[in-house]
Amino acid sequence: MKILVLNTGSSSVKYRLFDDDVVAAKGLVEKIGEDGGDAPDHEGALRRIMDSVDVDGLGAIGHRVVHGGADFADATVIDDAVVATIERLVPLAPLHNPPALAGIRVARKLLPDVPQVAVFDTAFHQSIPAEGVHWAIDTELAERWQIRRYGFHGTSHAYVSRQTAALLGRPVEQTNVITLHLGNGASACAVRAGRSVATSMGMSPQGGLVMGTRSGDIDPTVVFHLHRVAGMPIEDIERSLTRGAGLLGLSGVNDMRTLLQRRDDGDERAALAFDVYCRRVREYVGAYLAVLGRTDAITFTGGVGENSAPVREAVLAGLAPLGIDLDEQRNADRAKVISRDDSPITACVVPTDEELEIATQTRAALGG
Ligand code: AMP
């Protein structure tokens, strides 16, 4: 089946056309609405894509949607009711859901006869049990304002955990994996028998691990203090914690490659940022070993996870007493399996492919 995958952001649309699992075309329309950009608006962007790819015989369009709230536990065939629900979820993802909605609306208008499927970043985590979902705050407030853990990067964690089971030669249903998606955004996930049972991001993609420019977990008092004592308006605090924190906040650079270079050149802030980053990942590995009990594998993915041997080493070094026996040479060589043969828990590196997973889930939602 021919499937077009669309990832519509506020100023760009990424697309990939799959013919079964083969990539037939891919590209990016960017700077939408900007001077000298590729298109004046989302409709123009999608028209451009439809003109440049061969949509003849297109079986479906799969849309990436960041937030599915508590409403979607699976990829879902889009109809008017689904559009209305995604619209209702906008307050939970004010930056991400509106462009996705724009993409859905325009695609339905341009290709009304092609089935369209929404694939949510949150859906994979709907299997997390209640005790891993709720924070210990006033229940009435939480329910009224939909405050709970949703989790993100679900397509990546789903794909990578299945690939890990395949690498181990085990059925997914009998495999427990900790997946570490370390990219610009970063999250950890505990996957039991193919289902997410814990993840580090929360109500938004802001919680959990240290990221390029996002703080990850902090004591909520930081926000009160910056407001009450430092006198910062709430918008400035939000901007600082989401765009000026993480590796960037700690060291002045958000790119892990640059950070590693600076650390090697003796930059102390870069060294501290690296240590804080890796320590946080280690803490989550420890937590998820305890959540899972029996763990078969730990898998690194994402730009940092796939490419940075120093990060992987700092995260897993010295954990042989917990069953993870890292092989430094295999790690440096970026082998698929980076633990020793007799390590009780297998450490792996698996490249993620969110677009392919969206195509796979789109096909599954249509019963193919
Ligand atoms: P992603 O969001 O998955 O594309 O990941 C982006 C991050 O991966 C950036 O912080 C990059 O610096 C990092 N990255 C890419 N290649 C490498 C590399 N060879 N070593 C360390 N980090 C890398």
Side-chain angles (χ1 to χ4, degrees):
M1 192 201 272
K2 240 163 105 171
I3 296 174
L4 178 63
V5 172
L6 294 177
N7 183 348
T8 310
S10 58
S11 67
S12 71
V13 183
K14 261 194 263 175
Y15 65 93
R16 247 208 245 173
L17 181 69
F18 288 93
D19 205 339
D20 292 325
D21 282 352
V22 180
V23 180
K26 65 175 180 178
L28 173 73
V29 178
E30 51 185 349
K31 297 186 183 154
I32 296 170
E34 293 174 29
D35 280 348
D38 294 338
D41 53 21
H42 284 97
E43 174 152 355
L46 261 66
R47 279 189 190 281
R48 212 181 143 111
I49 293 168
M50 306 302 179
D51 287 344
S52 72
V53 305
D54 177 17
V55 292
D56 216 35
L58 189 63
I61 298 180
H63 295 268
R64 177 192 180 212
V65 182
V66 167
H67 219 306
D71 296 84
F72 298 103
D74 256 314
T76 304
V77 180
I78 296 172
D79 57 18
D80 292 346
V82 169
V83 172
T85 306
I86 298 172
E87 176 101 62
R88 191 170 52 68
L89 293 168
V90 164
L92 285 174
L95 297 180
H96 292 109
N97 274 20
L101 273 169
I104 289 170
R105 289 210 172 93
V106 176
R108 290 181 88 202
K109 180 172 140 189
L110 296 180
L111 296 171
D113 299 327
V114 176
Q116 316 227 357
V117 173
V119 181
F120 302 93
D121 281 20
T122 48
F124 185 58
H125 303 298
Q126 285 296 303
S127 50
I128 297 176
E131 69 270 20
V133 163
H134 295 287
W135 291 302
I137 63 169
D138 184 314
T139 301
E140 220 169 285
L141 276 179
E143 283 179 359
R144 174 151 181 222
W145 299 105
Q146 299 166 276
I147 297 168
R148 48 161 284 182
R149 183 187 308 282
Y150 296 97
F152 299 86
H153 286 147
T155 48
S156 179
H157 290 298
Y159 175 81
V160 167
S161 55
R162 282 204 322 275
Q163 293 291 114
T164 301
L167 185 62
L168 267 54
R170 301 170 63 106
V172 175
E173 299 74 25
Q174 290 165 30
T175 310
N176 295 347
V177 189
I178 297 171
T179 47
L180 302 170
H181 179 113
L182 310 179
N184 258 324
S187 67
C189 184
V191 185
R192 174 181 287 133
R195 290 160 66 83
S196 171
V197 293
T199 197
S200 57
M201 282 176 169
M203 180 172 172
S204 77
Q206 166 74 9
L209 304 179
V210 175
M211 308 182 214
T213 67
R214 293 174 233 162
S215 63
D217 293 341
I218 53 167
D219 180 336
T221 296
V222 172
V223 178
F224 315 144
H225 188 81
L226 287 175
H227 185 61
R228 201 183 299 127
V229 181
M232 283 170 71
I234 208 77
E235 292 75 19
D236 291 2
I237 298 172
E238 183 172 29
R239 194 175 319 110
S240 176
L241 295 180
T242 55
R243 286 190 248 153
L247 295 176
L248 179 68
L250 283 166
S251 76
V253 289
N254 66 311
D255 190 286
M256 185 58 86
R257 263 168 305 199
T258 318
L259 185 103
L260 286 165
Q261 261 159 26
R262 292 209 184 163
R263 182 187 71 142
D264 294 346
D265 293 343
D267 181 332
E268 282 176 18
R269 284 174 64 199
L272 176 65
F274 176 86
D275 292 346
V276 172
Y277 181 97
C278 297
R279 154 86 180 220
R280 181 74 52 82
V281 183
R282 252 174 110 89
E283 288 176 348
Y284 270 91
V285 168
Y288 290 174
L289 287 170
V291 167
L292 287 174
R294 196 204 82 224
T295 304
D296 301 298
I298 296 183
T299 300
F300 289 86
T301 194
V304 175
E306 291 166 32
N307 297 304
S308 179
V311 168
R312 294 192 299 262
E313 177 163 356
V315 170
L316 295 185
L319 294 187
L322 295 179
I324 310 159
D325 203 352
L326 186 73
D327 184 316
E328 280 82 14
Q329 193 58 48
R330 288 179 180 176
N331 183 43
D333 295 344
R334 200 211 168 287
K336 285 183 186 168
V337 170
I338 56 169
S339 50
R340 291 184 218 289
D341 290 338
D342 56 358
S343 176
I345 297 172
T346 309
C348 316
V349 180
V350 172
T352 193
D353 193 338
E354 289 170 275
E355 282 80 11
L356 176 59
E357 177 67 13
I358 291 172
T360 304
Q361 291 194 20
T362 297
R363 197 179 302 121
L366 291 166

